[in-house]
Every structure is written in C-alpha cells, then in structure tokens.
Amino acid sequence: MNIKDLAYYQKLIETRSYTRTADFFKLSQPSISAAIKRLSEEFDTQLVIQKTPRGRFIVTPAGKILYDRSIEILNLFETTKNEVAEANDPKLRLGVSPLVGKIYLAKLLKELNKESLNHNIEIIEAGSNDLSYKLENGKIDIALINSLSPINNNYYKSKLLRTNSVKLIVSDAHPLAKFNTLDFSCLKNQKFITMNHGFIHRVLFDRYCQLAQVHPAIAYETDNISILLELVKENLGMALVTELAPKGEIGIKAINITGVPPINTYTFIQLRTDVHLTAIQQKILTIINKIEV
C-alpha cells in the first residue's frame, strides 16, 4: 500500500470532492481516482460511491473504517519520520512553556552543565497547548507544561511536579497593593494585562471573568510572560497568573483572590509512551526528573 494513496483518500473523504482533493495535492483528478481504485483493490472492497461527477458522494461502512484508520496511520507515519530523522542525533528535544521555563530552565541547565550535557539538549519554548501538539506529533521528546487538570491518558507518561494556586498581581505602586485579599468581582473596572489566546494564563483570566460575571478591560496582550510581568511592574495594569509567575520578582505584589471558586493549575513533565531514548537522552531525563520546581 502506498502511504500517499492513504493521504489522498483521507483528504477526499474530508472534502468529498475529487477536484478539491486534486487541487490540494496539485495533482490531476485522474491521479486521485487511480489512488482510490488502488486502495479499493488493496482492501478488496468498495470504499466510496459516486455514480456521476456531481452525484451524491457516499462513504461505505468499509470506507469509514479505513478513514478512521488512515488518521492513525498517517499520524504514526509522521511521528516515525521525525524519530528516524533524529535517531542519530543525541540531542533531547525539550518543550517548555514560558512560565515553567522561567523558574525551571536555569536550574536544569546548571545541572546539565555539571555533566557536560548542555550541548545535548534543544529547548523549544511554546504555550502548553502547542507543546502537547508537538509532543503528539514527534516534534519534541519531552514537555514541561502547565495544565488546568491532572493529565492521565495512555499516550503519555506523566509526572506531576507541583500544584499551583492562582494569584492576582499588581505593582507595588498600585492602590490595591495594600490588600492581601480581593474579591475578583470587584475588579470589573480595572485594567488587565493578559497572555494571548492559547496560553493557560489567558484561559484562567477568561474563566475567572466568566465565574465572576465581569468583563474588565484588557490593556495589553502578550505571548511573553516576562513582558507581562514588566508591564505589571510599570503599573500599566494588573494580571491573573499562577503563583509561580511572580516568584523572585521585585516590585510586584501577589494578592489572594476570593469571590469565585479557586482554580488550580498543575505542572507536569510529559513523555510519549512510544518514544525511544538514547543513553544520553535517558541521562538527561533522569536529571530533569530530579529538578524541583
């Protein structure tokens, strides 16, 4: 079976159009038809029915099964390609979310330097959602991420590093800095600084607003946690962050939140169950597991 035929078939089922499928792959329509014919012969069954070019497009029960399997097969094929390409490279690809990286990477790199392993690790920084996608598709080997719920599935080996509460942070110069506790619903007229969509801090902000039924103004959005903290220090707005964010920062006051049910986040280390580590990569993983966040 030609793996490309399976890709053509998957796209055909999604578009339900030979023309659009051919255009997508920059092929002729007869090439797509030939690929579907080869698959039908390979599995000795009819996969799709379309009596005329403009006629009704029907996926047979066998065709639906092959479509579902094609998604799994093509994902596995892409992951395998990445693993094979990296097989002779001793570097461990570590995905780190911005916040975890802020408080974790310095400690990790210091320990790796002791073992002369700094050149054996590649750091990829991205939001937690993006890192999960990269891990699933073999773009990274391990991920250090924050999650809004405990991770427990058969695709990853997960280790919980810590549980984090959520804090409101303001500049020491902000009038509200004198408080240790504030009701979130009372902040409806305040200006907030948030992370962009796709980051866990933005999800937290949106959820707290929903729970308190308030819609405070967003003064700035960023995809860099360090920039967010600097903007708060300059008293350009307040922010809702996990307790790790302001750790060690001077000029920022962390305030406890009331008025809404508390939401925790969870810091995890994730490893795909099917990843094959070299001896050097395994040594780095051992060091990662020993670092305290």
Side-chain angles (χ1 to χ4, degrees):
M1 180 177 65
N2 189 327
I3 196 71
K4 289 184 178 179
D5 287 351
L6 210 54
Y8 302 154
Y9 176 75
Q10 180 179 322
K11 180 58 68 173
L12 175 66
I13 300 305
E14 292 170 353
T15 64
R16 294 180 175 267
S17 168
Y18 285 87
T19 301
R20 287 199 294 272
T21 301
D23 289 343
F24 180 85
F25 289 105
K26 294 180 171 55
L27 296 172
S28 65
Q29 186 171 327
S31 296
I32 302 300
S33 298
I36 305 308
K37 182 179 179 181
R38 286 193 295 270
L39 286 174
S40 295
E41 293 173 349
E42 175 82 21
F43 292 99
D44 193 26
T45 187
Q46 192 168 17
L47 301 171
V48 297
I49 301 171
Q50 191 174 32
K51 295 181 179 180
T52 65
R54 295 182 178 277
R56 185 183 176 193
F57 187 94
I58 301 173
V59 183
T60 68
K64 291 178 181 178
I65 292 175
L66 181 59
Y67 171 73
D68 291 339
R69 292 301 185 193
S70 73
I71 296 174
E72 299 175 17
I73 293 169
L74 291 171
N75 284 340
L76 179 59
F77 179 72
E78 187 64 27
T79 299
T80 302
K81 279 203 308 182
N82 290 325
E83 289 182 345
V84 170
E86 299 289 338
N88 296 321
D89 188 348
K91 284 189 177 181
L92 182 73
R93 298 166 301 168
L94 173 65
V96 183
S97 67
L99 178 57
V100 178
K102 175 180 176 290
I103 53 93
Y104 187 94
L105 279 184
K107 296 178 182 178
L108 173 60
L109 294 177
K110 183 178 180 180
E111 292 302 315
L112 292 176
N113 189 54
K114 292 179 182 178
E115 302 292 333
S116 299
L117 291 172
N118 275 355
H119 64 286
N120 294 113
I121 190 167
E122 178 184 355
I123 307 297
I124 296 93
E125 188 171 340
S128 294
N129 290 339
D130 192 19
L131 289 177
S132 293
Y133 174 80
K134 290 180 184 296
L135 187 67
E136 181 179 348
N137 288 277
K139 303 292 186 182
I140 57 176
D141 304 307
I142 297 175
L144 286 169
I145 66 174
N146 277 325
S147 172
L148 284 172
S149 60
I151 300 170
N152 184 18
N153 59 49
N154 296 325
Y155 299 106
Y156 306 120
K157 296 176 184 176
S158 298
K159 177 183 176 182
L160 177 62
L161 298 178
R162 61 174 291 148
T163 301
N164 316 291
S165 62
V166 177
K167 303 288 186 181
L168 178 74
I169 58 171
V170 299
S171 167
D172 283 347
H174 196 285
L176 296 179
K178 62 184 178 181
F179 294 99
N180 293 319
T181 302
L182 285 169
D183 188 319
F184 191 79
S185 62
C186 296
L187 305 175
K188 60 183 179 181
N189 295 321
Q190 298 293 328
K191 292 182 179 180
F192 275 80
I193 301 164
T194 74
M195 298 292 284
N196 290 327
H197 289 286
F199 288 88
I200 195 169
H201 283 100
R202 183 52 179 266
V203 177
L204 286 170
F205 173 77
D206 290 342
R207 288 197 181 181
Y208 269 80
C209 290
Q210 182 180 24
L211 289 170
Q213 296 185 334
V214 296
H215 304 282
I218 296 178
Y220 301 96
E221 297 179 59
T222 178
D223 59 1
N224 187 310
I225 190 68
S226 295
I227 291 176
L228 180 146
L229 294 172
E230 286 301 317
L231 293 176
V232 170
K233 286 182 185 180
E234 293 298 323
N235 204 15
L236 295 173
M238 58 181 56
L240 201 62
V241 298
T242 67
E243 62 181 296
L244 290 176
K247 189 176 182 181
E249 296 287 339
I250 298 174
I252 288 179
K253 170 70 178 292
I255 301 172
N256 295 320
I257 305 166
T258 61
V260 294
I263 301 175
N264 290 327
T265 69
Y266 305 88
T267 304
F268 280 94
I269 179 170
Q270 285 186 311
L271 172 69
R272 287 201 334 274
T273 54
D274 61 342
V275 72
H276 303 288
L277 298 178
T278 65
I280 290 178
Q281 290 173 336
Q282 184 60 57
K283 189 173 182 179
I284 295 173
L285 178 59
T286 300
I287 293 173
I288 292 174
N289 275 311
K290 289 181 179 179
I291 299 294
E292 293 184 3
V293 180

